[in-house]
Amino acid sequence: MSNAGNLSSVLSGWPEPERTALVDLSAGRVREFSFGALSSLSDSVARGLHSRFGSGRFRVGIVARNSAEFVALYFGTMRAGGVAVPISWKLPPEILEYVLTDASVDAVFSDGSCELPDSASAVRIDRDWTSFLDPGCFEPAPVSRDSLAQILYTSGSTGRPKGVPLTHGGQFWAVEKAASLITDPSSYRVLVAAPLFHMNALFNVKRTLYCRSTVVLLPHFTAQDYERAIEEFHCDWVTCVPAMMALLARHLGDRVLPPRFAAVRRVFMSSSSFSPQLLATVQRMFPNAHIANSYGTTEAGPHVFQGHPNGLPTPPMSCGHPYSPDHVRLVGEDERVIQGEGQGVLEMNTPATASGYLNLPETSAQLFRDGWYNSRDIMRRDANGFYYFMGRVDDMFTCGGENIYPIEVEQILERHPDIEQAVVVPVPDEIKQSLPVAFVVPRSGANLDETPLKEWFLDRAPGFMCPRRIGFVKEIPLAQTNKVDRGHLSEMARKLMARSPQPQS
């Protein structure tokens, strides 16, 4: 299949249309769709949109939980020549209205998960779906490689969400590149529970459908539903962000592992960092699985690393080896490209890289230069060319003149036998500039105390890294994409320090 065509063609043009494409577990029931049925549903969406907008370059916002309707809207919009704009249903109303305006959305489809602005021209999936659809065949609209296919919005962890315009050709390249690495492409069932408004889940759906394998789709993540889906629907590939695995491990506790967990062959953890301790936990849950530390970004593509070209095994905490040395580089503080081993900011220039952010020329000029995207992610490259995620430039803070990367403090804390998960955030300080504050989830039955835990930490790390306060929580709060909600934790940290601040030594 050529990557010069409409991205929606990952659904069509292949034999065996009766193969199961999607198992939809939304709305508390099981619905199975063959490739033929899902493609036909996307055709019906395309015809419904075409009757409303004609062949113009319209934009469709999708504000809904994961479902077959979401998938059909995504592909059907592009099939009709429009631009799909998946949007988080967890956004507060004022931010949702901003996104709809920023993306110049012409129509919104919602399942009622959130309140839409009065100005939105909305179609309710749960109410108006049948009357909107126009059954029949639809030929995918002709597009060029540079035609806009979708606009995805970043999570907005550092302010308002930023729109990322992505093309048919760029996204098709990413799908084909990732699919080319799969040795037995049509034999797996992949569990997707991350939200479809995020690159992680969207990419896994597209890659799986392209490979003619099956997606098992949860409307949203809960540990109980995730376990049940693996067991009942024989998922042998699972996708997640690390926080989801931590919640699953807690849910399982000391129980005997469900039998189907041993049949899982691949676990893809992506979208945020994780510790060696969590990696070991995941390996215990899925003893026969290959666990991939998958790295990608909305701005430069969901997949930029692979195995080593000479067959060297990928180290456990590594993201892998680049597809091509021409696609990635490390840049030091002096903005010079680092050669060989070293550590710096990862920049990427792949066929999937966006040209910039939507309606943000100044920010685009800072992070997109000469085709290269500055990820703001700190990476280390070893002697064999393997890359390791070390932290985010945006997360790094200074305490008494010393730079602190939260991931380093978190990984030390998670070495404690009674700590299940740890997150570190800064609190502003007049003298030190910032102070580290930690929140930890104790293991079941553990009895942790703040002072002895600090003493334990100081035996293993320098004093400036030691959290000035440690809060104990039942679970780490998650943001809309199931990543750690560091903004909420920062507010909790300020309150913790204000109640009873500890000495700042």
Side-chain angles (χ1 to χ4, degrees), residues 181 305-315 318-323 381-387:
L181 303 176
F305 297 107
Q306 62 178 6
H308 197 280
N310 296 331
L312 297 178
T314 301
S318 172
C319 302
H321 191 279
Y323 282 131
R381 181 173 54 218
D382 69 14
N384 292 317
F386 288 111
Y387 281 66

Side-chain angles (χ1 to χ4, degrees), residues 50 56 63 78 117-118 134 149 202 349 357 379 395 440 461 489 496:
H50 189 267
V63 190
M78 294 185 294
D118 294 336
D134 182 10
L202 269 182
N349 183 355
Y357 292 114
M379 288 274 190
D395 290 339
V440 303
L489 285 174
L496 183 63

Side-chain angles (χ1 to χ4, degrees), residues 22-31 64-68 70-71 89 111 190-197 201 205 215-233 235 237-240 244-245 248 482:
L22 180 69
V23 179
D24 176 11
L25 304 182
S26 66
R29 63 186 190 277
V30 179
R31 294 185 295 164
R65 289 182 169 89
N66 298 352
S67 67
F70 192 122
V71 175
W89 51 272
D111 63 355
V190 62
L191 177 58
V192 175
L196 286 172
F197 58 75
V205 168
V215 176
V216 177
L217 186 66
L218 284 172
H220 54 87
F221 173 80
T222 70
Q224 183 177 4
D225 289 341
Y226 199 86
E227 175 194 359
R228 185 184 303 122
I230 295 173
E231 281 291 288
E232 293 185 11
F233 300 98
C235 301
W237 285 27
V238 299
T239 65
C240 62
M244 291 161 61
M245 284 291 110
L248 179 64
N482 292 325

Side-chain angles (χ1 to χ4, degrees), residues 159-446:
R160 282 179 167 177
K162 297 185 288 291
V164 185
L166 301 168
T167 65
H168 284 268
Q171 294 305 294
F172 225 136
W173 172 84
V175 170
E176 286 191 318
K177 194 68 177 176
S180 70
L181 303 176
I182 300 174
T183 56
D184 192 7
S186 60
S187 66
Y188 67 89
R189 283 194 160 205
V190 62
L191 177 58
V192 175
L196 286 172
F197 58 75
H198 189 245
M199 175 66 84
N200 180 322
L202 269 182
F203 173 70
N204 278 298
V205 168
K206 290 196 290 280
R207 176 182 60 185
T208 302
L209 296 178
Y210 180 91
C211 290
R212 266 332 183 239
S213 290
T214 302
V215 176
V216 177
L217 186 66
L218 284 172
H220 54 87
F221 173 80
T222 70
Q224 183 177 4
D225 289 341
Y226 199 86
E227 175 194 359
R228 185 184 303 122
I230 295 173
E231 281 291 288
E232 293 185 11
F233 300 98
H234 296 187
C235 301
D236 57 349
W237 285 27
V238 299
T239 65
C240 62
V241 299
M244 291 161 61
M245 284 291 110
L247 291 172
L248 179 64
R250 168 182 285 192
H251 165 71
L252 294 173
D254 296 327
R255 286 194 283 130
V256 174
L257 290 174
R260 289 296 307 181
F261 276 40
V264 172
R265 295 182 292 145
R266 297 198 183 195
V267 177
F268 294 91
M269 290 202 292
S270 58
S271 301
S272 62
S273 60
F274 54 86
S275 67
Q277 289 72 30
L278 180 60
L279 177 62
T281 297
V282 175
Q283 195 71 76
R284 285 195 297 270
M285 289 193 293
F286 303 103
N288 298 313
H290 169 73
I291 301 171
N293 182 1
S294 301
Y295 176 85
T297 63
T298 303
E299 294 87 344
H303 216 58
V304 292
F305 297 107
Q306 62 178 6
H308 197 280
N310 296 331
L312 297 178
T314 301
M317 295 301 294
S318 172
C319 302
H321 191 279
Y323 282 131
S324 166
D326 297 331
H327 288 166
V328 300
R329 67 187 184 188
L330 293 181
V331 178
E333 293 181 359
D334 56 1
E335 298 194 359
R336 292 185 181 180
V337 176
I338 297 171
Q339 305 295 336
E341 293 183 69
Q343 180 169 306
V345 175
L346 179 69
E347 294 191 349
M348 293 167 283
N349 183 355
T350 77
T353 301
S355 59
Y357 292 114
L358 187 68
N359 303 324
L360 293 172
E362 293 183 3
T363 304
S364 297
Q366 293 172 359
L367 298 181
F368 294 85
R369 297 181 182 178
D370 301 322
W372 289 90
Y373 165 63
N374 182 328
S375 69
R376 307 284 289 169
D377 288 333
I378 305 295
M379 288 274 190
R380 176 176 64 84
R381 181 173 54 218
D382 69 14
N384 292 317
F386 288 111
Y387 281 66
Y388 303 78
F389 179 82
M390 305 304 292
R392 294 247 336 139
V393 172
D394 298 332
D395 290 339
M396 187 272 290
F397 58 93
T398 301
C399 176
E402 301 283 356
N403 291 341
I404 295 179
Y405 290 96
I407 187 174
E408 295 178 328
V409 184
E410 292 161 4
Q411 291 185 355
I412 293 170
L413 286 167
E414 288 178 358
R415 284 160 47 191
H416 193 286
D418 290 334
I419 290 179
E420 182 177 284
Q421 191 178 5
V423 178
V424 172
V425 293
V427 170
D429 181 74
E430 292 182 1
I431 299 174
K432 299 280 190 175
Q433 190 172 351
S434 297
L435 298 173
V437 173
F439 291 93
V440 303
V441 178
R443 293 193 183 279
S444 178

